[in-house]
Amino acid sequence: MTTPFPFTAVVGQDDLRLALLLNAVSPAVGGVLVRGEKGTAKSTAVRALSALLPEVAVVPGCRFSCDPAAPDPSCPDGPHEPGPGTSRASRMVELPVGASEDRLVGALDIERALAEGVKAFEPGLLADAHRGILYVDEVNLLHDHLVDLLLDAAAMGASYVEREGVSVRHASKFLLVGTMNPEEGELRPQLLDRFGLTVEVAASREPDQRVEVVRRRLAYDDDPAGFAARWAAEEAAVRQRIVAARELLPSVRLGDGALRQIAATCAAFEVDGMRADIVMARTATALAAWAGRTDVLAEDVRQAALLALPHRRRRNPFDAPGLDEDKLDETLEEFGGSGDSGDSGDDEPDPDGPGGGGQPPSEGPDQGDGGSGARPEEGEGGEPQTGGAGSGEQSAVRAAEPFRTKVLSVPGLGDGAAGRRSRARTEHGRTTGARRPQGALTKLHLAATVQAAAPHQRARGRSGRGLVVRRDDLRQATREGREGNLVLFVVDASGSMAARQRMSAVKGAVLSLLLDAYQRRDKVGLVTFRGTAGEVALPPTSSVDAAAARLETLPTGGRTPLAAGLLRAHEVLRVERLRDPARRALVVVVTDGRATGGPEPVALAGRAARLFAAEGVASVVVDCESGPVRLGLAGQLAGELGGTAVTLDELRADSIAGLVKDVQRRAA
């Protein structure tokens, strides 16, 4: 078995290590979401945690890890007789992003269930993770239907498998740990809230600390076992401290003063629901136990807020996570000092307390912010998007307030990844028919299966009441749901769009469409054109936040190379079809339709547009033309694309009920 990298040998990343250790002390905290750039030891630290967890007692032979002191009465392997259990190491189960539903929740033998009435059940990863860690790398890329199953199991502490009247239930309580790179897309709010704590990680900018990271990694790669042996004493000390903190945890007192600070903090930051208050209370209690104290102090409440609230205070998908620490300190000071564990007084911080215990003394200083995701303020100019932008370039302007948009969808029936935009054949949705299974059977169509088996009962020697079913009789249900699409924005950034009020409205419209794409689980891309060329400002990605950031810094100016922008968008679609052929595209061209620069710019734009029409690409032109005199050029462009044109006002959800039908009819 591969020797894991020692937890105590991880350099820096104090918040990450502390959050993981607090969950080891008190699993009721609710897990950790680790957000950060690639190559920052996210996965290394999580995998190393399992080696520090105490062993668990299990019922011998139970595939569902029942506790011998309190076995699950509904365990499929039960009922269990009282008796001594056996001990084993805590498990860390990894959930692959591309896992199937059956791999996650387990699978029933449908054939035996129909023919014999036997609940032959093969446990899945949720059973393996019971009383251990369930680790999801790149959790933001997990398919929606798997996210729904995780939410159900995390909320109920059990997994349910229901298939055509056959029901299996088993306990599934686990520590949920996920890692993600925000550039690849955000999490659904429902899953985000299920993580008790969140931490942001970034590579250190301190040369000495980076040197130590490389030194330790090279030493580990050369001799994993020898490297782990050198850290064995530190690992044992942390493991012992976790056990001691677990034993102390029931004795920790969470006084009224600390509770008032927790409630006031959650109210001040306007977090939704009461889960944040509960998580903060459990985290503060675990912090006190980790520091060896029986009273919760103000410093524990402050640290708990920094870990439990940032991912809960986001008011919309484009708000950066984080917490205003000055506001936090003011709130704690205002509601502190009640004399009941609400203030740390003049006590010196425990040098062996939160974040510091069990860490090797050779580690470097804190990593700091590791880079900023702050967006430029209004009036800051972005770098030119293309060469030859021409004179008269204007700096970026802030987008107008976003609004709810009409639903734009791709016509026909697709086979893309599950989402919420266009009709598609999916694993989930309403049943529309049946077919022979291709590979493993996942969704049984009972009526079609019985219909296929019925004519052969006499030939198969049926004598009892049971139906004689063979594998050839099984039928897979075909279902229709919704898919996510690639929404490719082609945005005119030329001088004709440069008026500040006009460009602000245009950016607000695109931002609104981006918000809609986020909610419908689409991929997005951004192509801009101005000056003499078009440029891919953002290749197709699941990170709608990244697209919004690029849009905000978009400057304007120069001529209008409409043909160049369309040709660049066409090339983006060609490459993306090779990468993801099942995902259909919706092209949204945002322009007033004017084309300037070069010989015959209007004719060139028409020929470029007809490439999309010839390939049947669904398209919408958002007409940005304003003023009393309108040339109707955007409408002509829409006709060449084989799509439809819609004004900025018509894009709003409360106008023109027939917009979606127009898009589908013209693209058909």
Side-chain angles (χ1 to χ4, degrees), residues 192-385:
L192 193 63
D193 190 50
R194 284 295 174 187
F195 287 97
L197 311 179
T198 185
V199 291
E200 297 278 339
V201 297
S204 172
R205 301 300 186 254
E206 288 288 335
D208 291 343
Q209 195 171 74
R210 295 176 76 98
V211 167
E212 187 61 24
V213 170
V214 175
R215 181 180 291 123
R216 293 186 189 182
R217 186 69 213 189
L218 293 177
Y220 171 77
D221 290 342
D222 289 342
D223 182 11
F227 183 82
R230 292 196 293 275
W231 290 90
E234 287 83 354
E235 293 282 285
V238 175
R239 191 178 298 110
Q240 184 177 359
R241 186 173 175 185
I242 291 173
V243 173
R246 282 188 173 187
E247 294 174 351
L248 182 63
L249 188 65
S251 303
V252 175
R253 186 173 71 96
L254 182 65
D256 289 342
L259 276 173
R260 281 179 56 82
Q261 286 184 316
I262 290 170
T265 300
C266 292
F269 285 98
E270 300 180 357
V271 296
D272 295 330
M274 294 298 298
R275 183 173 284 119
D277 304 63
I278 296 170
V279 171
M280 271 190 67
R282 290 171 174 167
T283 305
T285 303
L287 280 161
W290 178 245
R293 291 186 268 100
T294 56
D295 284 323
V296 174
L297 305 181
E299 65 192 58
D300 300 323
V301 176
R302 186 182 193 279
Q303 182 65 62
L306 292 175
L307 293 173
L309 296 188
H311 60 303
R312 293 187 165 90
R313 62 155 295 276
R314 290 167 60 102
R315 309 313 299 172
N316 69 64
F318 306 130
D319 287 342
L323 218 58
D324 184 341
E325 295 195 29
D326 291 338
K327 181 178 179 180
L328 173 61
D329 291 335
E330 290 172 4
T331 303
L332 293 176
E333 183 177 353
E334 179 182 353
F335 289 88
S338 63
D340 191 1
S341 305
D343 194 351
S344 59
D346 296 328
D347 294 342
E348 290 293 327
D350 184 356
D352 198 31
Q359 310 302 345
S362 61
E363 290 179 5
D366 292 342
Q367 296 187 46
D369 60 10
S372 171
R375 295 173 178 171
E377 295 298 324
E378 182 175 359
E380 291 183 18
E383 291 296 322
Q385 297 291 320

Side-chain angles (χ1 to χ4, degrees), residues 386 388-395 492-499 503 529-532 554-561:
T386 65
S391 60
E393 177 181 300
Q394 299 193 17
S395 60
D492 185 347
S494 66
S496 65
M497 305 285 287
M503 197 60 196
F529 57 94
R530 67 190 182 97
T532 60
L554 179 67
T556 57
R559 294 184 179 275
T560 311

Side-chain angles (χ1 to χ4, degrees), residues 592-614:
D592 56 11
R594 289 185 172 90
T596 60
E600 300 183 342
V602 176
L604 283 174
R607 286 200 291 271
R610 287 192 289 275
L611 292 175
F612 293 85

Side-chain angles (χ1 to χ4, degrees), residues 580-626:
D580 190 356
R583 187 180 292 269
R584 298 186 295 163
L586 174 64
V587 176
V588 180
V589 184
V590 184
T591 182
D592 56 11
R594 289 185 172 90
T596 60
E600 300 183 342
V602 176
L604 283 174
R607 286 200 291 271
R610 287 192 289 275
L611 292 175
F612 293 85
E615 296 175 1
V617 177
S619 60
V620 177
V621 177
V622 179
D623 185 358
C624 303
E625 192 173 28
S626 60

Side-chain angles (χ1 to χ4, degrees), residues 15 113 129 235 271 283 297 315 390 421 423 425 462 482 543 593-594 638 651:
D15 286 344
E235 293 282 285
V271 296
T283 305
L297 305 181
R315 309 313 299 172
R421 183 171 296 277
R423 294 174 54 222
R425 289 175 285 266
R462 173 184 171 185
R482 294 280 169 178
S543 178
R594 289 185 172 90
L651 192 61

Side-chain angles (χ1 to χ4, degrees), residues 107-115 118-122 471 474:
L108 287 170
D109 188 332
I110 301 294
E111 190 172 353
R112 290 190 64 192
L114 281 174
V118 176
K119 294 182 181 179
F121 182 71
E122 184 66 28
R471 176 158 293 277
L474 300 180

